[in-house]
Amino acid sequence: MRIGITGGLGFIGTAVGREAQQRGHEVIVFSRKPQSPPEWAVECRVLDMTEKPALNLGGLDAIVHLAGESVMGYWTDAKKQRIRDSRIPVTEAVVDAMKASPDGPKVLLCASGTGAYGHRGDEVLTEKTPMGTGFLADVCRDWEKAANEARQILGARVVLLRTGMVLGQGGAAWPMLKKIFSLRLGSRLGDGKQWVPWIHLEDEVGLILHLLETPACKGPFNLSAPHPVTNAEMTQQIASVLGTTTFIPTPAFGMKLLMGELASVVLESQRAVPQAALDSGYVFKHSQFREAVASLV
Ligand SMILES: NC(=O)c1ccc[n+]([C@@H]2O[C@H](COP(=O)([O-])OP(=O)(O)OC[C@H]3O[C@@H](n4cnc5c(N)ncnc54)[C@H](OP(=O)(O)O)[C@@H]3O)[C@@H](O)[C@H]2O)c1
C-alpha cells in the first residue's frame, strides 16, 4: 500500500512509518515544513493550511492522520485554540484533499483520544459508550465528526484512533514519568482512584497497522491495553520497576495550581478497554502495565 502519514515525523508517526516500511508499504510523510524524507519514507510532502487543497493526496491508498498540536503545556486560551485549530480545520482540510484527488486514498485513519469519554469514574468504556463532556471530549467529538465526513461524502473507510497514554521511548509521557520517579518525586495524584488508559508504543503501532490492513475495521477503536490501571496502581508499579520510592501524594488542588486546566488530563478517569480491537482479532504484545514499563527500562 502507499500510505500517507500526517504528523509522520512525530512520536507515533515515526514509529508507524518505520514499521509500515518494514512490512513492505511505501510511506509518504506530510509535514508543515518542506524537508527531505527520513530513510523509511519515499517522499515528504507539505501540509500547508494556506493552500487549497492543503495537501496533495494523489496516488495514495490510505492516509493516517496524526498531526496536531501537543496537549502538553499550560492550557491558556491561545493554547486551547491551537489544540482545536490543529485538529478540526486540519482534518477538514484532509477530507477536502481526499475530495480533490480522484486517485487519492479511500481509507482514512484519524487520531483521536480516550479523552473523548470525559471523566467517567469506574464505568467500563467501550467504543459503544457515548462520548463525554469537557474540553478534550468536545475537541475529540468535533475532530471525529470532521473525519467522518470522508465516510458520509466519499464513502471512504474511516477509522477513529481513540488513543490512551502511549508509553514508549521518546514520547511525551514515559521520559517525563521516568525522570520524575527517578528523582523520587513520583506520587499518587489526587485520590489515585482515577483510571488511566495506557498503551505500549509497540501495540499503538501494531494496532494502527492492523486497522490499516484489515478492510472490515471501521469506526471508533480504543487504542489502549486490555488492563487499564488506576493512578495509585500506576504510581506504585512504576516506583517498583524503577526500584525507587514515591513522594507524598499530590492533592488534586495542588495539581490544578501547578498545571491549571491541563490537570484534568491526569485527574480524570477513563476506564477504557479495547473491545473493538480484541473483537477484530488483534493480539496485544503488552497487556499488563508493570511488564510494559519493565520493557522500557
Ligand atoms: N502520544 C500520546 O500519548 C497520544 C495520546 C492520545 C492521542 N494522541 C494523538 O495522536 C497524534 C500523534 O501524537 P504524537 O504523540 O505522535 O504527537 P507529536 O509527536 O507531537 O507529533 C504530532 C505532529 O503533528 C504536527 N503538528 C504539531 N503541531 C501542529 C499544528 N499546530 N498544526 C498542524 N500540525 C501540527 C507536527 O508535525 P510537523 O511539525 O512535521 O508538521 C508533529 O510532529 C496527536 O494528534 C495526538 O493528539 C497521542
Side-chain angles (χ1 to χ4, degrees), residues 8-288:
L9 301 175
F11 168 52
I12 299 172
T14 298
V16 170
R18 267 187 211 286
E19 178 63 19
Q21 191 258 359
Q22 296 253 313
R23 292 192 189 189
H25 299 293
E26 268 186 14
V27 180
I28 289 94
V29 161
F30 289 85
S31 173
R32 287 166 298 169
K33 293 164 235 102
Q35 51 200 297
S36 41
E39 73 286 358
W40 42 264
V42 293
E43 198 184 337
C44 186
R45 297 185 192 172
V46 175
L47 191 166
D48 181 356
M49 287 296 285
T50 64
E51 294 288 327
K52 257 186 185 301
L55 60 175
N56 166 15
L57 297 178
L60 298 183
D61 298 307
I63 178 93
V64 182
H65 174 41
L66 300 173
E69 165 99 11
S70 170
V71 300
M72 301 306 285
Y74 208 77
W75 283 6
T76 58
D77 287 347
K79 171 78 177 175
K80 283 164 77 177
Q81 196 59 47
R82 284 199 302 278
I83 291 173
R84 278 192 71 83
D85 287 351
S86 62
R87 290 185 167 75
I88 295 113
V90 178
T91 303
E92 286 166 354
V94 169
V95 175
D96 283 345
M98 289 172 80
K99 285 185 215 157
S101 43
D103 69 332
K106 302 288 178 282
V107 179
L108 166 64
L109 271 64
C110 182
S112 179
T114 47
Y117 297 109
H119 182 32
R120 302 294 273 266
D122 287 335
E123 185 182 353
V124 174
L125 307 170
T126 73
E127 294 80 358
K128 295 206 167 99
T129 309
M131 288 173 143
T133 54
F135 172 67
L136 282 184
D138 292 346
V139 169
C140 289
R141 181 180 293 105
D142 294 345
W143 196 4
E144 294 191 4
K145 186 166 172 261
N148 273 327
E149 290 280 304
R151 174 174 56 80
Q152 280 150 8
I153 298 170
L154 302 168
R157 177 164 75 90
V158 175
V159 179
L160 305 162
L161 309 168
R162 289 185 185 161
T163 298
M165 173 181 69
V166 182
L167 294 175
Q169 308 289 1
W174 175 244
M176 189 173 63
L177 285 169
K178 192 172 161 199
K179 193 166 179 186
I180 293 171
F181 277 80
S182 301
L183 294 168
R184 299 178 189 275
L185 292 174
S187 77
R188 197 191 75 197
L189 307 177
D191 64 12
K193 291 182 181 160
Q194 67 275 35
W195 290 90
V196 183
W198 63 274
I199 185 166
H200 193 291
L201 181 61
E202 281 178 23
D203 281 316
E204 175 76 7
V205 171
L207 191 42
I208 288 177
L209 288 171
H210 167 79
L211 296 171
L212 195 65
E213 293 164 350
T214 311
C217 292
K218 52 188 163 199
F221 282 78
N222 289 344
L223 277 73
S224 59
H227 301 289
V229 284
T230 63
N231 174 269
E233 287 166 343
M234 177 178 117
T235 305
Q236 188 271 322
Q237 290 181 20
I238 295 175
S240 154
V241 170
L242 292 177
T244 183
T245 51
T246 56
F247 199 61
I248 48 166
T250 312
F253 77 86
M255 293 304 298
K256 286 175 191 157
L257 270 180
L258 208 65
M259 298 169 74
E261 261 190 86
L262 176 65
S264 65
V265 173
V266 291
L267 293 173
E268 292 189 348
S269 181
Q270 284 129 14
R271 193 179 187 178
V273 292
Q275 195 57 53
L278 294 171
D279 290 347
S280 77
Y282 183 75
V283 179
F284 280 81
K285 292 192 183 100
H286 303 276
S287 293
Q288 301 293 341

